[in-house]
Each structure stands twice: as C-alpha cells, then as structure tokens.
Amino acid sequence: MAAPDEPPPDSKLTRSKQRWAQEGRFLTGKTSRPGQQRLPPGQHLTRDWPTLDLGPAPTISRERWRLDVYGAVEQPLFWDFQQFTAQPQKKFISDIHCVTTWSRYDNQWEGLSTRDLLDACRPRDEARFLVLHSYDGYTTNLALEDFAADDALLAHSWSGAPLEAEHGGPVRLVVPHLYFWKSAKWLQSIEFLADDAPGYWEVRGYHNRGDPWKEERYSGD
Ligand SMILES: Nc1nc2c(c(=O)[nH]1)N[C@H]1C(S)=C(S)[C@@H](COP(=O)(O)O)O[C@H]1N2
Ligand SMILES: [Mo]
C-alpha cells in the first residue's frame, strides 16, 4: 500500500489528462444549468461504467478498511466497516459526469449521507474546506458546502450490491453535482480545514471546484 498521499508514478492516462488540461481539450464554451438540461455541455452518455483512476487499484477488504475523520471537527471519528454501516443508511439515485466527457445516468447508491457524517463529527466554526485522502495515495479537495450537498454520500453499495473494488470499494465518496474526480474512491480519511488545499488533479491543471454545467474542467477556465 502506498505511503499516505504518495501518488503512484505518472501513467499514459495521467500524462494525457495533464496535456488535455493545458490544451483546454473538450471545452465547448457553453454553460447550462441542471434544471435546463440534464446532460452538461460537452458530455456524451454512456451505458457502461468506465473505470478511471491513477492505475494501481488498492484491494482493501471490508475487514481491513478504516475511515479516519480528523482536523477542524469537535468529534474526530475512527470507524471500522461495521461502525460505519451502523450509522444511518440512505439510498440516492444520481448521474455521473466525468471530465473526460462521459456521463452515466441513474446510479443507485447506498451509504452514509455526508449530512449525517457532518452531524456525527460536528465541524468547528473555522472549518471551510476538506481534503479526501484515499488508499491509493489520491487526494481531492472540496468546499464544505459542496461536500454537504443533499445528495452526496459515502457509498458502500451500487445497484444493490457491494461497490466493486475497481469502482472504489469498500467505500467511495459520491458528489453528484461536481465532476467525478471529486468523488474519491477507496476513501481512507477526511480532513477538515480552515484553508483550501488543492488535491492531485487540482494541482495538475484541473479546476478547483469542477461544476459540469459551467464546464469548470480546467484551472484558468
Ligand atoms: N482514490 C481515487 N479516487 C478517484 C480517482 C483516483 O485515481 N483515485 N480518480 C477520479 C476520477 S478522475 C474519476 S473520473 C472517478 C472514476 O470513478 P470510476 O472508476 O468508478 O468510474 O474516480 C475519481 N476518484
Ligand atoms: Mo476523471
């Protein structure tokens, strides 16, 4: 397993994605709003579910998996899988929008809503941002209000079955209103911060927020 936050070496895909950010690939220059149009600008629908990550997919069993919640919170948490699933369970259906232009409708997720997690850890007043840390060394950052979206969750199941390892099982984040790189797979820890701290893609040319309807693909857009 990688050391904390030590990403794997560049692959062909991660090099291409850094080049696309420099070139502004896939940008249409259009903007839209979720209510106007279900499919964001520059996206196309796919029926299958592509796998995208840095390369080496860590295999973490439910027995070995732990979730660490720390930083600017009143109640730090350290849960094993049993403690995690003993929390309130929610089911949400949402669409996926990947910055490489594929979208997938109507994904059924089950897990702990981020609202219920926030009730459990109680962010301090100064908490404004989070960093998600994953078992493959990946990181991504979110503003607290984006994390707290009413359809965001820490998912352990998809379509009624345990989330497969290639899609981030045992547990991944799902934040439907932002591009899918914000939805960390193989979630290991959640760090609450007063100041923003850009993650893996955010320091490699990708947008800090990533709203698909505003086509916030790359930094500098
Ligand atoms: N831990 C981790 N999470 C990650 C990534 C990653 O490389 N590592 N890639 C992100 C990107 S760029 C995308 S598009 C989605 C892909 O999720 P999927 O493979 O389930 O489709 O995971 C996101 N979460
Ligand atoms: Mo992605």
Side-chain angles (χ1 to χ4, degrees):
M1 197 184 306
D5 294 355
E6 194 185 295
D10 275 353
S11 65
K12 202 167 162 222
L13 177 65
T14 59
R15 277 195 301 272
S16 299
K17 287 178 78 175
Q18 290 179 65
R19 198 180 64 242
W20 297 342
Q22 285 160 15
E23 293 168 351
R25 268 288 258 286
F26 313 129
L27 289 172
T28 66
K30 300 187 188 112
T31 62
S32 183
R33 275 179 291 129
Q36 276 176 330
Q37 203 182 40
R38 185 169 180 186
L39 192 66
Q43 296 295 112
H44 68 273
L45 264 186
T46 168
R47 314 244 348 230
D48 58 357
W49 185 7
T51 299
L52 256 100
D53 49 58
L54 300 180
T59 46
I60 314 288
S61 65
R62 287 182 164 186
E63 288 69 39
R64 279 176 53 223
W65 180 83
R66 299 289 183 277
L67 178 68
D68 193 0
V69 179
Y70 65 100
V73 290
E74 298 295 345
Q75 179 60 66
L77 305 169
F78 189 72
W79 284 335
D80 63 19
F81 191 78
Q82 240 184 338
Q83 291 168 305
F84 172 73
T85 49
Q87 308 303 315
Q89 299 292 299
K90 298 271 162 67
K91 286 183 185 169
F92 294 139
I93 297 179
S94 61
D95 299 345
I96 293 171
H97 306 295
C98 173
V99 72
T100 62
T101 75
W102 59 268
S103 292
R104 190 181 188 287
Y105 286 165
D106 293 326
N107 298 276
Q108 289 180 54
W109 307 103
E110 185 177 352
L112 172 66
S113 75
T114 56
R115 298 263 173 104
D116 287 332
L117 178 88
L118 292 169
D119 285 346
C121 70
R122 291 181 284 122
R124 293 203 208 111
D125 286 346
E126 70 264 26
R128 290 282 177 277
F129 299 94
L130 305 86
V131 175
L132 294 308
H133 303 260
S134 295
Y135 280 94
D136 60 343
Y138 183 78
T139 54
T140 190
N141 59 314
L142 286 167
L144 181 55
E145 64 260 31
D146 282 321
F147 180 79
D150 59 7
D151 55 357
L153 80 166
L154 282 61
H156 57 69
S157 292
W158 176 84
S159 282
L163 185 63
E164 286 182 47
E166 64 172 333
H167 289 298
V171 176
R172 79 176 298 160
L173 187 70
V174 178
V175 180
H177 72 288
L178 298 178
Y179 283 123
F180 209 34
W181 87 78
K182 295 289 185 180
S183 292
K185 296 163 44 161
W186 311 295
L187 187 60
Q188 180 171 35
S189 62
I190 306 177
E191 179 184 9
F192 286 78
L193 297 166
D195 300 310
D196 202 5
Y200 182 92
W201 285 118
E202 293 84 6
V203 301
R204 286 171 176 78
Y206 283 77
H207 198 278
N208 198 52
R209 178 152 187 264
D211 180 337
W213 287 272
K214 295 183 184 153
E215 254 200 322
E216 292 174 342
R217 296 181 192 274
Y218 310 117
S219 52
D221 294 356

